[in-house]
Amino acid sequence: KTVDKGGCCIVKISEIQRGERFSFSGFRWLAIEPTDSGTYALLDSVPELLKRRPFANLSTRRGKDLSDWKNSLARYVLRHTFLPELLSQNDQHAELLEMAVDLTALDGTGSSTFEDTIALLSLSQYQKHSDVIGETHAEFWTLTRASKKILDEMLTIKSDGTVRVNADPKFSASELRPVILLAPESEVEKEVQTEEAQA
């Protein structure tokens, strides 16, 4: 371990416990699921770039599937705008891994997985880790749709932690809070509590 001048301790992500917050590439993250293959982390400090965003592209033609994660505006923004910024600031020898994303709908239809380097929480992930996520300052999108049979209903998490079926992914604006999987040897900044902070 090394401590930098800003009062942060540089540690391996494998040393971060579930529910702990840490900094990576200039952003604050919440560790939600440490595993042998790496640690799943949820973005905790959402930049303006990812606030008030529709899930689906506004130019999507009527009758097209607005609830498809693979072709969503949300995925495009995360992969082509936020991810490059994240990687450009990565000077901590951290590695982002591909992860299996669960695309099963709320009603069980469309059961499938998809490989991604960055994604949103699935409903099942949120339910599993809601105890450490807690209440948030704003409503945010999941990547889980209500049903494969319905083209325009996505699930969002309200600020009080309740799940809502959002029937307007094209015009409704919520936060994009991405999930990443950091390799075990990745270095991150863990906040060091000073004696003043503990008092």
Side-chain angles (χ1 to χ4, degrees):
K1 299 179 182 179
T2 59
V3 178
D4 65 22
K5 295 178 181 179
C8 290
C9 184
I10 306 300
V11 301
K12 291 180 180 178
I13 189 65
S14 56
E15 297 176 50
I16 301 290
Q17 304 298 311
R18 180 177 183 268
E20 287 188 327
R21 287 170 171 81
F22 63 91
S23 292
F24 163 64
S25 284
F27 297 95
R28 199 168 187 229
W29 300 82
L30 171 68
I32 57 172
E33 189 173 1
T35 70
D36 291 340
S37 58
T39 296
Y40 290 87
L42 174 69
L43 185 64
D44 194 52
S45 57
V46 180
E48 284 299 319
L49 170 69
L50 303 182
K51 292 180 179 179
R52 296 177 294 278
R53 285 281 187 173
F55 181 87
N57 199 317
L58 296 176
S59 62
T60 305
R61 289 176 294 175
R62 183 182 296 274
K64 293 291 184 179
D65 191 349
L66 300 178
S67 304
D68 175 29
W69 162 249
K70 297 177 188 178
N71 298 307
S72 68
L73 177 63
R75 181 171 182 260
Y76 183 88
V77 169
L78 291 180
R79 285 180 60 86
H80 298 284
T81 306
F82 181 68
L83 186 58
E85 181 179 346
L86 196 65
L87 296 176
S88 70
Q89 297 185 56
N90 176 18
D91 55 3
Q92 299 165 232
H93 309 290
E95 181 185 0
L96 271 63
L97 303 176
E98 288 269 302
M99 55 188 173
V101 176
D102 181 9
L103 298 180
T104 305
L106 178 63
D107 65 356
T109 57
S111 178
S112 67
T113 57
F114 186 67
E115 293 291 321
D116 247 331
T117 309
I118 189 166
L120 298 176
L121 278 176
S122 66
L123 178 62
S124 59
Q125 278 181 308
Y126 174 72
Q127 291 172 330
K128 184 177 180 181
H129 304 297
S130 60
D131 60 321
V132 294
I133 296 171
E135 295 186 2
T136 60
H137 62 280
E139 186 169 347
F140 63 93
W141 295 104
T142 71
L143 55 70
T144 303
R145 58 197 301 160
S147 174
K148 178 73 172 177
K149 304 170 186 175
I150 302 173
L151 301 182
D152 59 357
E153 287 189 357
M154 296 300 300
L155 303 182
T156 55
I157 308 300
K158 296 173 66 176
S159 58
D160 63 1
T162 57
V163 180
R164 180 169 81 92
V165 175
N166 190 318
D168 199 358
K170 191 172 178 178
F171 294 102
S172 179
S174 294
E175 287 189 346
L176 301 178
R177 294 190 68 192
V179 176
I180 56 174
L181 175 60
L182 285 163
E185 298 298 309
S186 298
E187 294 180 348
V188 298
E189 292 183 13
K190 180 178 180 180
E191 294 178 7
V192 178
Q193 281 194 324
T194 63
E195 292 181 6
E196 292 180 4
Q198 292 173 343

mmCIF file of all heavy atoms in Angstrom, residues 1 71-72 135 152 159 161 190:
data_model
loop_
_atom_site.group_PDB
_atom_site.id
_atom_site.type_symbol
_atom_site.label_atom_id
_atom_site.label_comp_id
_atom_site.label_asym_id
_atom_site.label_seq_id
_atom_site.Cartn_x
_atom_site.Cartn_y
_atom_site.Cartn_z
ATOM 1 N N LYS A 1 0.836 -1.197 0.000
ATOM 2 C CA LYS A 1 0.000 0.000 0.000
ATOM 3 C C LYS A 1 0.872 1.248 0.000
ATOM 4 O O LYS A 1 1.903 1.292 0.656
ATOM 5 C CB LYS A 1 -0.893 0.037 1.252
ATOM 6 C CG LYS A 1 -1.858 -1.126 1.367
ATOM 7 C CD LYS A 1 -2.673 -1.007 2.644
ATOM 8 C CE LYS A 1 -3.606 -2.199 2.794
ATOM 9 N NZ LYS A 1 -4.398 -2.124 4.019
ATOM 10 N N ASN A 71 -28.826 -1.958 -28.593
ATOM 11 C CA ASN A 71 -28.892 -0.863 -29.557
ATOM 12 C C ASN A 71 -29.382 0.445 -28.935
ATOM 13 O O ASN A 71 -29.812 1.355 -29.645
ATOM 14 C CB ASN A 71 -29.814 -1.248 -30.724
ATOM 15 C CG ASN A 71 -29.298 -2.455 -31.478
ATOM 16 O OD1 ASN A 71 -28.147 -2.481 -31.904
ATOM 17 N ND2 ASN A 71 -30.134 -3.468 -31.634
ATOM 18 N N SER A 72 -29.301 0.536 -27.620
ATOM 19 C CA SER A 72 -29.841 1.708 -26.928
ATOM 20 C C SER A 72 -28.894 2.898 -26.973
ATOM 21 O O SER A 72 -27.681 2.754 -27.124
ATOM 22 C CB SER A 72 -30.142 1.360 -25.467
ATOM 23 O OG SER A 72 -28.931 1.115 -24.758
ATOM 24 N N GLU A 135 -30.522 4.557 -0.662
ATOM 25 C CA GLU A 135 -31.265 5.594 -1.373
ATOM 26 C C GLU A 135 -30.290 6.452 -2.180
ATOM 27 O O GLU A 135 -29.131 6.607 -1.816
ATOM 28 C CB GLU A 135 -32.049 6.464 -0.384
ATOM 29 C CG GLU A 135 -33.143 5.703 0.342
ATOM 30 C CD GLU A 135 -34.011 6.601 1.200
ATOM 31 O OE1 GLU A 135 -33.785 7.837 1.192
ATOM 32 O OE2 GLU A 135 -34.899 6.083 1.877
ATOM 33 N N ASP A 152 -41.491 -0.762 -25.327
ATOM 34 C CA ASP A 152 -41.175 0.552 -24.759
ATOM 35 C C ASP A 152 -41.373 0.641 -23.245
ATOM 36 O O ASP A 152 -41.842 1.662 -22.738
ATOM 37 C CB ASP A 152 -41.991 1.636 -25.455
ATOM 38 C CG ASP A 152 -43.500 1.400 -25.327
ATOM 39 O OD1 ASP A 152 -43.897 0.369 -24.743
ATOM 40 O OD2 ASP A 152 -44.274 2.262 -25.778
ATOM 41 N N SER A 159 -35.363 7.321 -6.403
ATOM 42 C CA SER A 159 -34.391 7.758 -5.401
ATOM 43 C C SER A 159 -34.601 7.085 -4.041
ATOM 44 O O SER A 159 -33.661 6.938 -3.268
ATOM 45 C CB SER A 159 -34.440 9.281 -5.244
ATOM 46 O OG SER A 159 -35.738 9.706 -4.878
ATOM 47 N N GLY A 161 -35.353 3.994 -3.704
ATOM 48 C CA GLY A 161 -35.006 2.587 -3.836
ATOM 49 C C GLY A 161 -36.095 1.698 -4.407
ATOM 50 O O GLY A 161 -35.871 0.506 -4.623
ATOM 51 N N LYS A 190 -8.306 4.367 -2.117
ATOM 52 C CA LYS A 190 -9.197 4.198 -0.975
ATOM 53 C C LYS A 190 -8.999 5.389 -0.045
ATOM 54 O O LYS A 190 -7.876 5.741 0.289
ATOM 55 C CB LYS A 190 -8.880 2.896 -0.233
ATOM 56 C CG LYS A 190 -9.774 2.636 0.973
ATOM 57 C CD LYS A 190 -9.427 1.313 1.623
ATOM 58 C CE LYS A 190 -10.329 1.047 2.823
ATOM 59 N NZ LYS A 190 -10.002 -0.247 3.484
#
